[in-house]
Amino acid sequence: MKVEASTSERGAIYTCPKCARELTLKKGAIVVAHFAHKPPTNCTWAAGETQAHLAAKMVIRDAFRARGYQADFEVEVLSVGGDRRADVLIRHPNGKSVAVEVQHQPILYDAIERRTLAYMAADLPMLWVGILTKEMREKSVSYDDGMKIEKYTIRPWEKWANALAFGELWYIDPFEGTVWKGDFKNHIIDVPSSSWYSTGGEEHSAGGYSRTSKRWKTLYLQGPYQIGSINIAIKYRGAWASKAFNLPKGQIAIFQAP
């Protein structure tokens, strides 16, 4: 029987449904309630979990449950494209289920493509969501509709997921219960003009132009929106390929602002 850490009591014995080994219940006033594997362990379900990731899954689930949706987190999805464990599985009002994957670790193009294909093979539209970190907030500045990060190093999975969702990528602040719609634009570097004289007295000049940065993007974050106000739509995504990665064809899910 599946149980949740937030409603479980200390003293009972809990086991992992993946590896069947005993788990430790961790909960308190500061720590988000969760189960942890006892070391040493090589269970794949134990790898890479963070407090922000745990909180994000719970916040998304609870927000949609409050609106009458069926929602749960850590749901196994069986697929000929490779079994997956959905961070959050939400039953859409039209009867269609969608999966939400909260990405909190760097992954490369081939990994995110495989995971998305597994959901598509299970006929389960899904969307990728990033985590708005404290570091991102500290680097941001306000603008008309939200905030922006001028020198943002876009990670491979962000570039891939942004392209999959027709040029947008949502981020969740799990501790504020809000989401932000991200939009990547080219970061423009202004090269100031300068002039100097050679030893022969000849004047030289350089700069005085702008160029597109190859290293950075500018990330615009529109919001914040309360998670409970966000809608989910299902769209068809055609196949597309660039020099760096491929996008599969199939149904995907996207967040929509109120």
Side-chain angles (χ1 to χ4, degrees):
M1 180 180 66
K2 183 178 180 180
V3 297
E4 295 183 16
S6 59
T7 57
S8 298
E9 299 294 335
R10 291 186 177 88
I13 297 177
Y14 305 101
T15 57
C16 173
K18 178 72 173 180
C19 67
R21 296 188 65 179
E22 187 174 346
L23 301 172
T24 300
L25 174 62
K26 296 187 176 182
K27 61 191 302 186
I30 299 176
V31 177
V32 177
H34 66 286
F35 293 109
H37 286 72
K38 294 182 177 181
T41 179
N42 59 0
C43 180
T44 57
W45 283 24
E49 189 77 293
T50 66
Q51 291 296 303
H53 190 227
L54 281 167
K57 293 184 292 187
M58 295 175 66
V59 166
I60 295 173
R61 181 205 61 181
D62 293 346
F64 281 93
R65 277 188 178 179
R67 295 170 57 186
Y69 289 63
Q70 295 179 30
D72 206 348
F73 62 83
E74 300 300 332
V75 179
E76 284 191 274
V77 176
L78 303 180
S79 166
V80 295
D83 295 348
R84 295 294 308 147
R85 184 170 53 129
D87 281 340
V88 187
L89 190 68
I90 302 170
R91 174 75 64 178
H92 197 270
N94 64 11
K96 186 77 171 179
S97 291
V98 301
V100 179
E101 283 291 312
V102 182
Q103 189 57 36
H104 64 300
Q105 289 185 319
I107 56 174
L108 299 179
Y109 297 134
D110 58 344
I112 191 171
E113 182 180 357
R114 285 197 307 270
R115 296 181 188 182
T116 303
L117 282 169
Y119 285 111
M120 287 182 172
D123 192 28
L124 182 62
M126 60 84 59
L127 65 93
W128 293 92
V129 178
I131 292 180
L132 183 66
T133 64
K134 179 182 178 182
E135 181 183 11
M136 291 170 68
R137 278 193 175 276
E138 291 174 345
K139 290 183 177 180
S140 68
V141 295
S142 298
Y143 84 106
D144 293 344
D145 296 323
M147 56 187 179
K148 64 180 178 179
I149 304 173
E150 290 282 2
K151 294 182 177 180
Y152 188 84
T153 303
I154 186 171
R155 293 167 289 182
W157 82 264
E158 290 173 304
K159 187 179 294 185
W160 195 97
N162 177 71
L164 183 75
F166 304 102
E168 65 181 46
L169 179 60
W170 288 78
Y171 291 84
I172 180 171
D173 185 333
F175 303 110
E176 295 290 335
T178 57
V179 287
W180 301 73
K181 185 170 72 171
D183 183 21
F184 294 96
K185 301 292 187 182
N186 287 333
H187 178 74
I188 305 301
I189 297 175
D190 294 321
V191 181
S193 59
S194 61
S195 61
W196 66 95
Y197 289 92
S198 65
T199 54
E202 184 179 359
E203 184 177 11
H204 300 268
S205 61
Y209 62 90
S210 298
R211 64 178 177 85
T212 300
S213 173
K214 295 181 179 180
R215 178 180 178 185
W216 296 305
K217 292 286 187 180
T218 297
L219 173 57
Y220 289 87
L221 293 162
Q222 182 180 337
Y225 301 98
Q226 292 298 317
I227 297 176
S229 69
I230 294 296
N231 296 313
I232 297 179
I234 298 173
K235 292 189 175 183
Y236 180 80
R237 162 86 252 183
W240 182 82
S242 71
K243 293 181 179 179
F245 57 80
N246 300 313
L247 297 177
K249 64 178 180 180
Q251 285 189 325
I252 63 170
I254 61 170
F255 276 163
Q256 289 186 325

